[in-house]
Amino acid sequence: MRKLYHTKKEQVVMFGFNDSLAGRVVDMLCEYTNYEISFFISVNELPEINIEKEHRRRPNRKTEFVKDGTIFGKNLYVGDNYIDIIAKKNIKKCFVVEDDRYLRSKIFNKLRDNEIEILSFFHPTTIFDGHNTLGEGIIIFPKCYIGYKADIKDGVIIQSNATIEHHNVIGNYVDINPGLTTGGFTLIEDFAEINMSVDIINKIRVGKHSRIGAGSLVINDCDSESLYFGRPAKYIRSNKPNH
């Protein structure tokens, strides 16, 4: 008879709680890692919502919402005194799955100042083609390809089915939605947001704080703090951050 071994889970904390992002990461951590979320943190105060009304707006009722101070069966702490809470709970590591990339960067800085480790997660279907340089706190969803000598910096979230080709650089706190395809030697600078099903040809620079609309085809460089959309993508308007 085979003897079963039970490995104690390592307790960590997660910043962020939205089911559309953090919830998916929680499920992947449970399935593929030895980490267990001890509790969640929201730096910002929570908006008041009507859960029944929110369910009616969605195609099914599976979306989880904060109820009685808990989410996904764990406590949610709210506020900016999270360093004291983490220390009191004797937590040494965390995941930062905060939707707002500017808030994400502020959390990173505060955690580093207090020597709390920021963890990354790469879904096991991710393919790294070699000689990649990876920063802290990166989250990569299923079926992504990171090409030869492509580099990803801190706090980047890459959602499903992204193909990031050889010699790309993805800057700090970039959000990449599902279905991105890039050519080689592409640079996506800090705090950019790339929406669903975007194609970027080779040797393109996407500037800081810029946003590329869903379904766009990028064939020319994109200025910083600007919104681009279309096939081919064209300048639409300013996209200055309001953080």
Side-chain angles (χ1 to χ4, degrees):
M1 183 178 180
R2 187 176 63 173
K3 187 176 181 179
L4 298 178
Y5 293 89
H6 299 281
T7 304
K8 185 177 180 180
K9 294 279 188 177
E10 183 174 2
Q11 297 296 302
V12 298
V13 64
M14 179 175 287
F15 289 81
F17 62 91
N18 286 336
D19 202 6
S20 56
L21 189 61
R24 295 157 64 197
V25 176
V26 170
D27 262 16
M28 293 188 292
L29 293 177
C30 289
E31 184 168 0
Y32 297 112
T33 76
N34 196 45
Y35 294 121
E36 181 177 33
I37 305 302
S38 178
F39 56 92
F40 294 85
I41 293 175
S42 173
V43 177
N44 293 331
E45 293 294 323
L46 304 182
E48 291 188 12
I49 64 167
N50 182 316
I51 294 178
E52 286 299 316
K53 183 177 179 180
E54 291 298 321
H55 280 314
R56 289 195 296 270
R57 294 174 52 201
R58 290 165 170 78
N60 63 48
R61 298 175 61 88
K62 295 179 182 178
T63 305
E64 291 200 42
F65 297 96
V66 178
K67 187 175 181 180
D68 299 326
T70 65
I71 185 77
F72 312 119
K74 303 289 185 177
N75 289 333
L76 172 70
Y77 294 91
V78 179
D80 58 6
N81 64 330
Y82 50 84
I83 296 298
D84 293 338
I85 296 170
I86 291 171
K88 187 179 296 185
K89 299 287 186 179
N90 197 32
I91 300 292
K92 306 297 184 183
K93 301 176 182 179
C94 67
F95 289 93
V96 183
V97 195
E98 168 58 53
D99 297 50
D100 184 324
R101 55 198 182 279
Y102 299 104
L103 180 55
R104 200 153 72 227
S105 73
K106 292 177 181 178
I107 294 169
F108 268 59
N109 290 335
K110 195 167 182 179
L111 292 173
R112 285 168 175 155
D113 288 344
N114 289 273
E115 299 182 343
I116 298 170
E117 184 178 352
I118 305 167
L119 298 168
S120 294
F121 172 76
F122 312 133
H123 192 275
T125 57
T126 304
I127 297 173
F128 292 98
D129 205 18
H131 301 280
N132 306 106
T133 302
L134 304 172
E136 287 186 294
I138 300 167
I139 306 293
I140 302 182
F141 281 76
K143 298 182 178 179
C144 292
Y145 169 81
I146 311 300
Y148 173 73
K149 292 188 177 179
D151 298 337
I152 302 172
K153 297 188 178 181
D154 298 336
V156 173
I157 296 179
I158 303 175
Q159 297 199 42
S160 308
N161 294 294
T163 298
I164 295 171
E165 268 297 351
H166 62 91
H167 298 88
N168 278 208
V169 175
I170 310 299
N172 297 297
Y173 311 108
V174 169
D175 281 346
I176 294 176
N177 285 277
L180 170 68
T181 300
T182 72
F185 301 100
T186 293
L187 170 61
I188 300 176
E189 294 187 343
D190 298 353
F191 295 102
E193 178 185 356
I194 313 296
N195 282 285
M196 293 178 61
S197 303
V198 168
D199 297 314
I200 303 175
I201 69 167
N202 61 309
K203 300 180 181 178
I204 291 293
R205 171 190 165 271
V206 176
K208 292 181 180 180
H209 309 283
S210 58
R211 184 181 181 192
I212 310 299
S216 294
L217 170 63
V218 181
I219 62 173
N220 294 300
D221 289 352
C222 298
D223 292 338
S224 297
E225 300 184 349
S226 300
L227 169 64
Y228 286 81
F229 174 72
R231 297 186 74 86
K234 297 180 180 179
Y235 174 85
I236 303 297
R237 59 172 170 79
S238 171
N239 190 57
K240 290 185 181 295
N242 57 1
H243 59 282

